[in-house]
Amino acid sequence: MEPFDPAELPELLKLYYRRLFPYAQYYRWLNYGGVTKNYFQHREFSFTLKDDIYIRYQSFNNQSELEKEMQKMNPYKIDIGAVYSHRPNQHNTVKLGAFQAQEKELVFDIDMTDYDDVRRCCSSADICSKCWTLMTMAMSIIDRALKEDFGFKHRLWVYSGRRGVHCWVCDESVRKLSSAVRSGIVEYLSLVKGGQDVKKKVHLNEKVHPFVRKSINIIKKYFEEYALVGQDILENKENWDKILALVPETIHDELQRGFQKFHSSPQRWEHLRKVANSSQNMKNDKCGPWLEWEVMLQYCFPRLDVNVSKGVNHLLKSPFSVHPKTGRISVPIDFHKVDQFDPFTVPTISAICRELDMVSTHEKEKEENEADSKHRVRGYKKTSLAPYVKVFEQFLENLDKSRKGELLKKSDLQKDF
């Protein structure tokens, strides 16, 4: 992958916003078919410029105004906020208290740094293919619940550009949800609780909720390869002591003896399972299958940033934003191939600008003579950004279909009267 030099970012961003950013699809998304008057015009955008200059409450009349402003400002980062009662760029002229956030997609933010107490390969902003499995499991667990438990249809998963993923739930009814309901949904999806000082962060009882059971079934598919082989969570005493801290003291001695006897994490895990499920220990209300489940959940279950999801007015980084530290584009993820998604193959801004430059001069000249918007649409198509824009288009296609379906239903209902 093309090496990225942050010093080149200002020049690269100019080219990116002029020739590569998928404006038409982006506007089509946030305009939601133009069904609600002023929906796009009342949306807040925020730009972070060079040297961390931060501009909130930007808003635009249409696609062309958004394009012009982005090409003028060349933001290092774009955040999307709520749809407000008034145009955000006029919020200062509105009577105090009248300017209110009214709608926004339900969003989730999962960041690898929140797993630092349970991953051994990397820490803080670093990621590798070993710990990326945590994101794969998180997306699979959250997406299944949003789809099956809540019935939400339009879920866009996006790579953050560095060490995490975001989810945008865009169903019309979901965009209208109150902060209280959003809090309830995040609460339902949260199991790992307690800060750095709390050792045991997951507590199950005998009645295990179906959501938890289904989540465990997803984790089981990855657990051996990820936790026992890749992270080697029972490799030595220092590591198995962390797991002993999560299980009842009554079985510590028995576990210690076995751990010393066996020589690999998979063998030691098998021993833990046997001890937890032995008829002798099952009499202890804290033993049983849920003991191993608690460990699996603590090590693998999604850790959501609750505040991002709760607030209607909370900003979240926009898809197709560029990460200023890695140069990677914040690209939509094809959820059908979530297991194959590799953050290290995501195009960097340097790579796609280079690919665009490689388009022969002849072709460039030909394009210059064509309509402005036309050559830009074709810009990203000649780069490795193209497949990710396609994933986004497929998502928009499904949104359109369901919107048309709703409109048809409404008109049919009106005919019945």
Side-chain angles (χ1 to χ4, degrees), residues 1 16 28 82 91 94 103 125 143 168 175 213 219 300 339 354 362 370:
M1 189 43 85
Y16 178 64
R28 183 178 155 200
H91 74 283
V94 177
E103 291 194 16
D143 194 78
W168 298 76
R175 302 198 303 268
R213 282 185 186 275
I219 292 171
C300 302
D339 280 323
R354 183 74 39 89
H362 166 67
E370 291 177 19

Side-chain angles (χ1 to χ4, degrees), residues 280-335:
Q280 190 56 41
N281 292 323
M282 285 286 276
K283 293 177 190 137
N284 173 344
D285 64 350
K286 290 196 178 69
C287 283
W290 45 92
L291 189 143
E292 61 176 279
W293 296 343
E294 284 177 339
V295 177
M296 289 167 81
L297 292 164
Q298 178 143 342
Y299 274 75
C300 302
F301 189 80
R303 301 180 173 203
L304 301 171
D305 184 333
V306 177
N307 294 322
V308 172
S309 306
K310 273 184 180 173
V312 181
N313 58 354
H314 207 292
L315 293 155
L316 185 62
K317 178 191 205 155
S318 167
F320 299 103
S321 205
V322 179
H323 197 292
K325 295 263 190 326
T326 61
R328 292 194 196 283
I329 313 289
S330 201
V331 291
I333 295 169
D334 181 352
F335 198 77

Side-chain angles (χ1 to χ4, degrees), residues 125-185:
D126 293 332
I127 61 164
C128 69
S129 57
K130 275 185 187 171
C131 55
W132 187 258
T133 306
L134 285 166
M135 292 295 130
T136 309
M137 289 190 276
M139 289 189 275
S140 306
I141 287 168
I142 299 296
D143 194 78
R144 186 215 61 77
L146 293 173
K147 180 183 175 184
E148 295 173 16
D149 304 358
F150 292 101
F152 300 156
K153 286 195 180 75
H154 304 286
R155 308 169 310 278
L156 178 69
W157 285 95
V158 181
Y159 170 51
S160 73
R162 191 179 198 180
R163 54 169 187 239
V165 292
H166 301 151
C167 178
W168 298 76
V169 187
C170 301
D171 304 38
E172 189 185 353
S173 57
V174 177
R175 302 198 303 268
K176 294 175 167 30
L177 295 176
S178 69
S179 188
V181 175
R182 291 169 198 252
S183 299
I185 294 169

Side-chain angles (χ1 to χ4, degrees), residues 399-411:
L399 261 177
D400 279 354
K401 268 189 204 139
S402 103
R403 193 163 42 236
K404 283 174 187 141
E406 287 302 312
L407 290 171
L408 277 173
K409 248 192 245 167
K410 272 184 194 162
S411 66

Side-chain angles (χ1 to χ4, degrees), residues 383-398:
T383 72
S384 47
L385 192 60
Y388 299 99
V389 178
K390 208 159 193 54
V391 171
F392 191 46
E393 285 172 342
Q394 191 49 63
F395 171 76
L396 296 175
E397 212 46 51
N398 293 335

Side-chain angles (χ1 to χ4, degrees), residues 113 116-117 193-201:
T113 42
D116 278 1
D117 60 321
K193 298 190 175 163
Q196 286 173 322
D197 315 329
V198 182
K199 283 203 171 116
K200 187 173 168 66
K201 294 181 164 78

